[in-house]
Amino acid sequence: MESRTWRDNVIDALKANNITLIVHVADRVLAPIITKLEADPFFKVVTLSREEEGIGILTGAYMGGQRGALLLQSSGFGNILNALGSLALPYQIPFVILLSPRGYLMEHNVVQLAWGKALPTTIDALDMQVFDLTSPDEVPFKADKGIKHAFVTRRPVVLSISTQLSGGKDGAH
Amino acid sequence: MALTSANIQRMSRADLTSRVLGMVDDDTAIIGGIGNAGFDLFSAGDRPGNFYMLGSMGMAVPIGLGLALAQPERTVIVMEGEGSVLMTLGTLATVGREAPPNLTIIVWDNAQWQLTGGQTTATGVATDLSVVAQGCGIANSNAPTNETEFEQAVRYALDAPSPHAIVAHIDAEPASGRPHDDPIVTKYQFMQAMGQQLE
């Protein structure tokens, strides 16, 4: 039997928690996950023009009874701040943000550093929680429990795919 | 002929909102955007199927899209000001791409950011949002020039499965009331109307 990769484990956790709506702006770390999601009829996948609209789409879907996840790169997290602060957080809308961080280890573009460093501070300032997916063996537990945490706390929760796990932008892990 | 401020007959947002409310059933969801769009929705007829956005400028159309995708059998109407639509213009492309058959976007276009002092928006100078919507793949997009045409456009939108955009040129009369400003209450009332169990 083909062994399950960390990407499969993330998708399994989405399925186990009935996350059926995926909205995304891709990057190279997320791309193989998005390809798998698009090939799976369990998921409805919406390609966004800009990350911010994903917060609105997930809010509308949640109020209509459908759970969702937003897949984005950390640079795109900068595009969702007001929608988080004045929609998802005050209205208590739970969903998953699957984040591919830039600006950390293995970064090779200097312009990614400033926001990459500010992002964890910003997420903390919003009183949101991040669960880092760092090693393959912890992904099944952390992805599943992290998703559950969003719906128990009625808040968006961030699952951050570390470059150690993914191999970064050019990685093949 | 291009619509200019000289030849546009500007209608009343409150009046048009009331006309829409008179045409929909109780199951129809209506998303009211930030500012006067939501205020007039409340003033014209508060109802459980109304959702009022209190911040997050530009998010009314995405909220409507998400709801339309989650509940494909339900009619979803978004009422949104043109300033907010301009802020999230890319969403029209997402709507065109997804083509939800149950979503209608009504744009209240008074060519100004009314709440912040009447600064002129791009629609007052150069931009035609009904053409933009059509270019984004929302084929059923139009700009009614009077109340009769507006009602005909809404009736068509309710009857013909397709995404629709209706750009109504309105005046700058402020809304007469404002909805409850507690987001949690707003959310739960709306979710109950959408048939959702409270968690």
Side-chain angles (χ1 to χ4, degrees):
Chain A
M1 186 180 138
E2 194 182 337
S3 64
R4 306 291 283 167
T5 67
W6 67 266
R7 295 184 184 90
D8 296 319
N9 294 148
V10 169
I11 293 170
D12 290 345
L14 293 171
K15 278 189 169 179
N17 289 282
N18 202 28
I19 308 292
T20 56
L21 179 62
I22 307 295
V23 300
H24 71 83
V25 175
D27 80 348
R28 281 164 63 173
V29 168
L30 296 168
I33 300 174
I34 292 165
T35 300
K36 285 173 181 271
L37 293 167
E38 285 179 331
D40 190 332
F42 183 85
F43 299 103
K44 164 66 181 170
V45 180
V46 175
T47 304
L48 304 171
S49 302
R50 180 180 162 93
E51 294 85 351
E52 186 186 25
E53 64 182 314
I55 304 298
I57 292 171
L58 294 181
T59 298
Y62 173 76
M63 294 193 296
Q66 186 175 19
R67 293 176 163 197
L70 168 61
L71 277 58
L72 47 57
Q73 192 182 81
S74 55
S75 48
F77 205 101
N79 292 340
I80 67 172
L81 293 177
N82 185 54
L84 284 174
S86 64
L87 183 64
L89 290 168
Y91 283 84
Q92 297 186 356
I93 306 296
F95 51 83
V96 181
I97 299 175
L98 187 63
L99 175 81
S100 166
R102 296 291 301 270
Y104 300 99
L105 295 174
M106 294 186 278
E107 182 59 63
H108 44 64
N109 184 348
V110 68
V111 308
Q112 294 289 345
L113 295 180
W115 177 237
K117 188 161 190 306
L119 179 58
T121 312
T122 304
I123 293 173
D124 188 56
L126 287 168
D127 199 23
M128 288 174 60
Q129 283 190 280
V130 185
F131 300 103
D132 290 310
L133 307 179
T134 305
S135 67
D137 59 334
E138 70 182 11
V139 170
F141 176 82
K142 273 196 174 175
D144 178 62
K145 302 307 179 202
I147 293 167
K148 286 183 166 59
H149 195 78
F151 291 91
V152 168
T153 61
R154 299 187 183 119
R155 301 170 76 78
V157 158
V158 180
L159 298 178
S160 181
I161 304 165
S162 78
T163 49
Q164 182 181 333
L165 179 69
S166 69
K169 183 168 174 284
D170 301 316
H173 294 195
Chain B
M1 184 177 69
L3 290 172
T4 66
S5 56
N7 64 22
I8 287 178
Q9 177 195 335
R10 295 203 170 273
M11 297 175 275
S12 157
R13 184 183 45 236
D15 172 49
L16 297 186
T17 304
S18 294
R19 289 170 189 256
V20 174
L21 288 173
M23 298 171 72
V24 300
D25 58 30
D26 288 346
D27 290 334
T28 300
I30 306 181
I31 312 298
I34 189 175
N36 280 298
F39 300 164
D40 256 337
L41 176 60
F42 172 80
S43 304
D46 189 28
R47 54 195 275 287
N50 291 355
F51 179 75
Y52 306 106
M53 216 173 63
L54 298 163
S56 64
M57 185 169 174
M59 288 296 102
V61 175
I63 291 169
L65 173 59
L67 180 63
L69 292 172
Q71 297 197 353
E73 303 302 318
R74 186 182 301 278
T75 299
V76 180
I77 296 173
V78 175
M79 294 181 175
E80 178 72 298
E82 95 284 358
S84 295
V85 172
L86 288 167
M87 183 177 269
T88 321
L89 212 50
T91 288
L92 295 180
T94 309
V95 170
R97 178 176 180 160
E98 292 301 320
N102 53 336
L103 178 64
T104 294
I105 302 164
I106 297 175
V107 182
W108 301 133
D109 185 355
N110 57 11
Q112 62 179 275
W113 282 289
Q114 185 180 346
L115 275 184
T116 57
Q119 299 85 0
T120 302
T121 62
T123 67
V125 181
T127 303
D128 183 335
L129 284 175
S130 67
V131 176
V132 173
Q134 199 156 50
C136 286
I138 305 173
N140 284 310
S141 169
N142 60 69
T145 59
N146 57 51
E147 287 81 359
T148 304
E149 286 182 14
F150 176 80
E151 286 197 351
Q152 287 170 345
V154 173
R155 173 50 53 205
Y156 182 58
L158 294 172
D159 290 343
S162 160
H164 294 259
I166 301 169
V167 179
H169 296 283
I170 55 147
D171 60 30
E173 189 66 30
S176 60
R178 296 201 175 197
H180 198 287
D181 68 355
D182 185 322
I184 308 294
V185 171
T186 300
K187 177 187 75 168
Y188 280 129
Q189 285 179 346
F190 183 72
M191 286 182 69
Q192 281 186 306
M194 295 301 105
Q196 300 307 303
Q197 301 286 330
L198 300 189
E199 293 179 338

